Amino acid sequence: MANPFLVLGGVAVGVITAGIGVLAVPGWIDNANDSAAMNDLGNIRGAESAAILQLGEYTDDFAILRSGELGVKFQKSEGVTLIGLEADTNESWCASVQSKSGRFFAASNVQAAIATGPGAESAMTTAGCDPDIITEILDKAADGAGPSGKPVDIGTPGPDGGKFTGGGNGSNAGGGNDGGSNNGGGNGGTWGGGDSGTVADAPLGPVAPMIEVFDVAWTSRGVFAADTNGKIVQSGADGHAHSLTFTGDITKAFSVFTYKGISSDAKGNLYVSAVGPFDTANPGAAVFAILKIAPDNSSTVVSTMPTGSDSPQWKTAYDGQVFYTYGGKLYSQGSDGAFSAVATPAGVPIVSDSKGTFQGKDSAGNLYFATMDTHYIVSKSGAVTQQPLLDYNNVSNLYNYTMEVGADGTRYMAAYRYLSKLDADGKVAQLANPQMDLEGWDQDDLLYPWVGALDPSGNPIIFKLNGDGGPIVMKSTTAGKLSTIMSD
């Protein structure tokens, strides 16, 4: 992993682990430990996504996962018990952990959401793990042959009782949604080409080492890139990453959840999720928070929510309107800057884990969602159109992808080695192959692009993970011409 400490205004803020003795405040420390456990599963997911594309198969070889050779280095958080990780070549992977709170969590390639349950078996079952893999993990855990090297607690036996951390259950990822039509929650405004008009841009910081990029956000003052551990850098005209010094509420956060994404609105504000002592009803108590970072790098809490479930997952639409998913619901930012729930038909899955299922909106107000095998397009009237999710060869064979939606409804998808463009029917046309088209993407590296944002002209902002040549953030035109924005 990248440096697990984010220096904010002179205060070192670490990823929450079980070793935070000074933070042991009754009533919420268990939730902080749970966040560390879910973060570990998120890192495993990223590593497995890199493995399938670089190695051609998933892996449970911890020597590889910890080495960083995949571009994502797994490092278990202190206090988290890794019950097991098993991979079935290119078919599937499943992982289960236990938080220091005693709660069990699991993730797999089948479901985007992290599952929890009264035991490892129920959590893995809900996460969609293969039954044979579940049995193998449980047997090794009981015999001491798992990654911990000793017998570990597997909790209540049996497959029942699991649910997704976003608040749903095993039959509906995300927990179901409100009925009714979709109005998009109001328009956050078109790209303003600058700040809010009352806040001056912070000066560009000094050149900094490039991070292992996990998400990006576009603003008129540069592209911001975030890793999985709370680190954010800003691009400069020199093509390098530049460090940031934040002030305000973010300096009080116990952990900044950039692994849930980073967004920017039309006024140049950034948005991230965090956990910290932001509960106004119980001063000092920890809650999840939505943090807004203004163009001058000052930060404020704009909303809070209880810990104990998944934290918000971010997405910016083509026009700068900000969305997030939380607790099985979609929220959008209105023109006043406030967030409100968007009504979506039942049956449209909404989860806020990994890259999430919400992909964006178009200028007609249609909302786009996608799972591992299906597109869901929700019109303003609430009508739902489903399409098969296809890979770059127009075959339903995807293991991982990222997606952005343009104003005209064009979907840009990054998967395997390709940036592709989808037509209205979901058919895929290859747009660019960065490994072949751009210097620094070594063909032998077998790394793949992710798409994380669109600029105001609709050009995709894409990036790759670490590896030979290091991480790179670049822009692709809508015709597939590539140019570098930020690299070492």
Side-chain angles (χ1 to χ4, degrees):
M1 289 186 293
N3 181 359
F5 292 93
L6 172 62
V7 178
L8 306 168
V11 179
V13 181
V15 175
I16 290 182
T17 70
I20 319 174
V22 295
L23 303 181
V25 180
W28 69 266
I29 191 64
D30 281 351
N31 294 325
N33 287 321
D34 291 349
S35 295
M38 289 187 283
N39 186 43
D40 282 5
L41 288 173
N43 286 334
I44 289 174
R45 187 186 299 279
E48 293 293 350
S49 297
I52 191 66
L53 293 162
Q54 294 187 61
L55 307 176
E57 62 184 18
Y58 296 121
T59 182
D60 47 28
D61 186 336
F62 279 97
I64 293 176
L65 295 174
R66 291 180 175 128
S67 69
E69 65 184 80
L70 298 175
V72 180
K73 183 187 295 185
F74 172 70
Q75 179 177 315
K76 185 180 72 66
S77 298
E78 184 180 351
V80 175
T81 298
L82 182 55
I83 294 171
L85 167 65
E86 295 292 333
D88 181 15
T89 62
N90 65 343
E91 296 295 328
S92 63
W93 63 266
C94 175
S96 181
V97 299
Q98 184 182 24
S99 165
K100 195 177 181 182
S101 70
R103 299 185 181 109
F104 294 87
F105 299 91
S108 77
N109 62 299
V110 177
Q111 295 283 355
I114 292 174
T116 185
E121 184 177 0
S122 58
M124 289 188 286
T125 300
T126 302
C129 297
D130 181 270
D132 291 338
I133 287 183
I134 294 176
T135 299
E136 188 171 359
I137 289 176
L138 295 175
D139 287 347
K140 287 184 177 180
D143 294 340
S148 296
K150 59 183 180 181
V152 296
D153 179 23
I154 59 172
T156 304
D160 299 326
K163 63 180 181 180
F164 290 109
T165 55
N169 55 40
S171 61
N172 179 14
N177 318 304
D178 295 334
S181 63
N182 154 49
N183 59 18
N187 189 344
T190 55
W191 289 109
D195 59 36
S196 62
T198 59
V199 178
D201 291 353
L204 189 66
V207 172
M210 192 62 179
I211 61 174
E212 297 175 0
V213 184
F214 191 73
D215 200 13
V216 294
W218 186 95
T219 74
S220 62
R221 64 188 189 280
V223 171
F224 291 80
D227 68 6
T228 61
N229 295 307
K231 185 95 181 248
I232 304 171
V233 295
Q234 178 182 355
S235 69
D238 56 4
H240 292 297
H242 290 255
S243 64
L244 295 160
T245 301
F246 298 122
T247 61
D249 287 340
I250 197 171
T251 65
K252 306 171 188 175
F254 302 136
S255 187
V256 180
F257 297 149
T258 46
Y259 74 95
K260 302 311 292 286
I262 180 173
S263 276
S264 57
D265 66 18
K267 297 180 180 179
N269 300 301
L270 302 176
Y271 296 85
V272 294
S273 305
V275 63
F278 304 125
D279 190 341
T280 55
N282 300 287
V287 289
F288 285 145
I290 293 173
L291 292 170
K292 180 175 77 171
I293 304 171
D296 64 356
N297 290 340
S298 64
S299 60
T300 55
V301 171
V302 296
S303 182
T304 62
M305 54 211 69
T307 58
S309 58
D310 215 0
S311 55
Q313 177 83 32
W314 293 96
K315 195 75 171 181
T316 301
Y318 74 91
D319 60 352
Q321 185 178 14
V322 178
F323 291 80
Y324 70 86
T325 53
Y326 171 76
K329 294 183 182 296
L330 176 68
Y331 295 81
S332 67
Q333 186 181 39
S335 57
D336 60 355
F339 289 91
S340 59
V342 178
T344 54
V348 175
I350 300 177
V351 298
S352 54
D353 179 67
S354 186
K355 288 294 182 179
T357 55
F358 177 66
Q359 306 300 334
K361 71 167 190 177
D362 63 24
S363 60
N366 299 308
L367 301 179
Y368 293 76
F369 303 81
T371 62
M372 293 305 295
D373 56 14
T374 306
H375 293 281
Y376 298 82
I377 305 172
V378 181
S379 71
K380 292 187 71 171
S381 66
V384 179
T385 300
Q386 294 188 33
Q387 299 170 342
L389 182 67
L390 305 174
D391 69 4
Y392 62 96
N393 280 325
N394 283 298
V395 177
S396 183
N397 189 36
L398 274 179
Y399 295 105
N400 189 56
Y401 64 89
T402 50
M403 192 177 299
E404 295 291 331
V405 181
D408 62 356
T410 298
R411 286 161 283 179
Y412 296 93
M413 180 176 71
Y416 301 108
R417 285 179 269 175
Y418 302 96
L419 175 67
S420 301
K421 182 185 292 188
L422 281 64
D423 65 17
D425 295 322
K427 295 297 178 62
V428 180
Q430 296 173 20
L431 189 63
N433 179 350
Q435 289 179 300
M436 297 294 291
D437 301 340
L438 190 72
E439 183 180 357
W441 290 61
D442 186 349
Q443 178 66 25
D444 295 331
D445 209 5
L446 294 180
L447 291 174
Y448 62 104
W450 290 21
V451 56
L454 300 177
D455 72 10
S457 298
N459 298 308
I461 307 300
I462 67 176
F463 57 93
K464 80 175 180 74
L465 303 177
N466 208 346
D468 291 349
I472 301 173
V473 177
M474 69 201 74
K475 179 176 74 173
S476 171
T477 66
T478 55
K481 184 178 179 180
L482 302 169
S483 58
T484 300
I485 293 174
M486 180 172 23
S487 66
D488 280 331

